[in-house]
Amino acid sequence: MSSNNLITLHRWLLSDTHKNMENKLEMANLFSGIALACKITNNAIKRAGFESNFGLAGITNVHSEDVKKLDVIANDAFKMALKSTREVFCMVSEEEDSIIPVSQSQAGNYVVAFDPLDGSSNLDCNVSVGSIFSIWSKVSKDGHNYSNEDVLRKGRDMTAAGYALYGSATMLVLTFGQGVYGFTLDNHIGEFVLTHVEMRIRTKGSIYSINEGNSIYWDKGTQEYVKAIKSGADGRAPYSSRYIGSMVSDIHRTLLYGGIFMYPGDTKSPNGKLRYLYEVAPLSFIMEQAAGKATNGSSPCLDMVPKSIHERVPVFMGSPACIEELLTYQKKFNHNL
Ligand code: P6P
């Protein structure tokens, strides 16, 4: 890519791509913080072997999960970088029990929920992991005293959302509700550079992504749907199975190759495993903006409003044709729908 058409994240955010974005400068500033946090996290992951940062931090989080050293580094990076933009009103982190306040002198207009390092159980074996974030405009009129109505938000009211993928390349994929754009980190210049314009998922796909180790616990609708796509019935070739166990990686592949990602509720975990505010909602926003669909098995994920900051919800997202077919099985076999 020649330097004269090298579009960095910052240039893109300030460009006239978003003609009617009244909060352009605030978003550019906020995303400079997000990009910084992702670069710090990326660097820590790539250097973990040299700096003894693999393994456990010796604490457990609100989800009773063992916290990795890199979870702590990523969480600290996101909190520091976001506060320093002075655009953030308050934050929710997957790693923190409760809402993270911002001092009055630093408080801004946006609520940011983030999973600083999603899939971190895969780190020590060098499997791709990611960061996920969602952004809403604050509701409170107060300068810096947040309330639950600021953070327990409907996904469809989001201002922006995105994810970083720390893989063979490091990418930042984001949306402001005007399409999905992908930026790749150029280590030579230390900038995220525009490489994917108006990303769109295929209408149909033949890759399914789900942890089949849970299949005996699934609802009947999911069991019958997965059986059907594996069986090669109706003259259709059986789908391919791909499951990384790192949501950002599984969603990014689904976005680019088509198909369906599923983490249903089951008899062990009726609401599934994935959290609404900083996993399901932001990735559903990305998926819908890329002409895909995201459902909880009966209604669009983006229409949900969580009752708590770490609420888990079932999720099926991907190519529209796959989601539509999944929903017919849910309706046919899950009589509670
Ligand atoms: P399971 C990672 O821990 C994560 O939160 C997501 O990134 C991933 O999709 C899911 O859990 C994997 O869960 O139960 O299949 O190991």
Side-chain angles (χ1 to χ4, degrees), residues 61-63 65 71-72 74-79 82 90-101 111-117 132-134 151 275 277-279 309-310:
N61 63 18
V62 63
H63 319 284
E65 296 165 339
D71 284 321
V72 175
N75 191 46
D76 289 347
F78 271 82
K79 290 192 291 185
L82 286 170
C90 65
M91 294 178 265
V92 169
S93 169
E94 191 259 1
E95 291 299 337
E96 310 257 346
D97 298 8
S98 51
I99 299 167
I100 304 161
V111 177
V112 185
F114 57 88
D115 186 350
L117 199 50
I132 315 169
F133 54 89
S134 42
V151 293
R275 280 57 59 106
L277 279 180
Y278 43 78
E279 290 173 321
I309 61 173
H310 297 301

Side-chain angles (χ1 to χ4, degrees), residues 118-119 121 211 214 243 245-247 261 263 273-275 279:
D118 180 74
S121 57
N211 183 344
N214 295 326
Y243 191 70
S246 177
M247 189 180 190
F261 171 84
Y263 209 111
K273 175 179 183 180
L274 302 173
R275 280 57 59 106
E279 290 173 321

Side-chain angles (χ1 to χ4, degrees), residues 3 21-22 25 32 114 117 194 218 246-247 275 311 327:
S3 57
M21 196 160 92
E22 70 282 352
L25 288 177
S32 69
F114 57 88
L117 199 50
L194 182 66
W218 295 340
S246 177
M247 189 180 190
R275 280 57 59 106
E311 182 172 313
L327 288 172

Side-chain angles (χ1 to χ4, degrees), residues 1 12 169 171-174 179-184 193-200 252 255-256:
M1 176 176 288
W12 180 80
M171 282 195 73
L172 186 57
V173 176
L174 57 88
V180 178
Y181 291 80
F183 299 80
T184 303
V193 176
L194 182 66
T195 49
H196 295 65
V197 176
E198 294 185 9
M199 298 170 77
R200 290 177 72 83
H252 190 68
L255 192 56
L256 291 174

Side-chain angles (χ1 to χ4, degrees), residues 282-298:
L283 295 176
S284 297
F285 190 24
I286 291 270
M287 193 55 76
E288 282 204 5
Q289 282 293 310
K293 286 184 181 278
T295 177
N296 60 13
S298 58

